[in-house]
Amino acid sequence: MDTSSLLDEEGFPGVKLAIAYGSGAVRQAGYASSDQPMLDLILVVDDPVAWHAENLSRNRDHYSAVGSLGPGFVSYLQRLPAGVYYNTLIPMKGKSSAGRLMKYGVVGRNELVQDLEDWRWLYLAGRLHKPVLFAAGSPSSAGLEQPVRANLEAAVRASLLSLPEKFSQEDLFMTIAGLSYAGDFRMVFGENPDKVRNIVAPNIGRFEELFSPVLSSTFSEACYWDQGTSLWTQDASPPQILKHCSLLPAAIRPSKGALLSPSEAKARLRSVVSRSSVSQSAKGFLSAGPVKSGKYTAAKVAKWAAWWLRALSDSTTTNEPDFTSGCGFPMPPEKFSQEDLFMTIAGLSYAGDFRMVFGEK
């Protein structure tokens, strides 16, 4: 995909960095070569209020009714978890992109650094755990090279805590790619359950390119690649685990001298991701407006339902429906209490309800 003139063709104000991600930028399994998935962009800016003011004057039709409240209010919404403001289902203007749709999220540089270094929301940080394209600028030119690298190192550390002593390259990248989906309610309702595998399987080479510099330097003593077995072997000794834990991002780091078990690490990830995913989805309803929100949600649910229909109707499939493949949290247990059952039933209608973030206990 050629992104060199993308921002100019779409009439955006200047940005520090533009990142294209998702199936519209990097090929994923499940799409035909002729498909043109919606292009997802992250636009990193220094001054969100000034940027939105300029963008509102150029592209008022990108915004819902929220735009009428001015750039200050738009920027206020943007600062709420997870620190990004999205405009979605925007028809692209460029000659090579005519008829295609895009979704772009605007984030302040400081908020992005906080997410990359501390995993405050593990939202945009999670997107940068996967291969992306830089449509304008680069991490180094935007002064983000160190935070981006710190985010990759943290992804490897968190993944090693969940992996056995020996594991494959695919196991590693599946675990890394799934970190930011742990606890995301959309993985149970609204997203393809094979999403993580669809990201990783066709892009092993891209993941290797992204993580090789980190694995070969920062983790040269913590794990090594065995050419004979084609497996990674990690040092799973208590001192090494303690080192991993002490260097985790602030949002999931245990107290000094404490160790995290795999289940404890996953629980901390779920806690961060669940809050940010629900809050960002609630913001999406305001930023997109009811009509676009309905269209966007309907498209997601249709893809989710299609996957389940295929899985349930294909009696020869060996891939049983799996809510959480590679997503860092466990499948539902075989045994559970009566209270577990009734709590789960009672909670079904609250999944994704923005009032659970703003207004409900």
Side-chain angles (χ1 to χ4, degrees), residues 291-348:
V291 175
K292 282 188 176 181
S293 292
K295 289 181 179 178
Y296 185 76
T297 302
K300 286 283 188 182
V301 172
K303 289 168 65 176
W304 172 83
W307 185 93
W308 276 98
L309 287 172
R310 286 196 302 271
L312 294 172
S313 63
D314 186 359
S315 59
T316 63
T317 183
T318 58
N319 297 319
E320 296 181 2
D322 180 356
F323 284 112
T324 60
S325 176
C327 296
F329 54 97
M331 284 290 290
E334 291 184 16
K335 297 182 179 181
F336 48 86
S337 68
Q338 186 145 296
E339 183 181 10
D340 291 335
L341 173 62
F342 294 150
M343 286 283 286
T344 303
I345 291 172
L348 291 174

Side-chain angles (χ1 to χ4, degrees), residues 33-193:
S33 58
S34 58
D35 288 344
Q36 282 198 319
M38 183 164 63
L39 178 64
D40 295 317
L41 294 171
I42 300 168
L43 306 181
V44 184
V45 304
D46 278 332
D47 185 340
V49 175
W51 193 91
H52 282 296
E54 178 65 20
N55 197 44
L56 279 163
S57 69
R58 296 187 187 192
N59 299 300
R60 176 61 186 87
D61 58 320
H62 289 187
Y63 293 78
S64 68
V66 168
S68 301
L69 300 177
F73 186 77
V74 171
S75 298
Y76 165 75
L77 277 183
Q78 179 179 311
R79 290 194 300 273
L80 297 176
V84 59
Y85 183 95
Y86 274 102
N87 285 322
T88 190
L89 296 178
I90 309 299
M92 298 181 71
K93 305 171 185 175
K95 292 181 180 179
S96 61
S97 304
R100 191 174 186 181
L101 297 175
M102 68 175 171
K103 176 182 74 177
Y104 64 93
V106 183
V107 62
R109 183 185 177 280
N110 292 339
E111 285 73 25
L112 179 60
V113 169
Q114 193 171 37
D115 200 28
L116 292 172
E117 293 184 339
D118 297 338
W119 284 9
R120 182 180 181 184
W121 302 294
L122 192 50
Y123 194 83
L124 297 183
R127 278 133 184 85
L128 292 177
H129 290 164
K130 295 94 171 171
V132 299
L133 299 177
F134 294 105
S138 66
S140 57
S141 68
L144 292 168
E145 189 170 16
Q146 183 52 42
V148 167
R149 183 182 175 91
N151 182 47
L152 297 178
E153 291 178 351
V156 174
R157 290 193 191 283
S159 297
L160 290 176
L161 290 174
S162 298
L163 288 164
E165 186 176 353
K166 294 181 182 293
F167 51 89
S168 69
Q169 189 97 301
E170 184 179 21
D171 291 336
L172 174 62
F173 296 147
M174 285 282 289
T175 304
I176 289 172
L179 291 173
S180 60
Y181 294 115
D184 189 334
F185 72 92
R186 295 170 301 174
M187 294 305 296
V188 177
F189 184 77
E191 285 286 3
N192 185 335

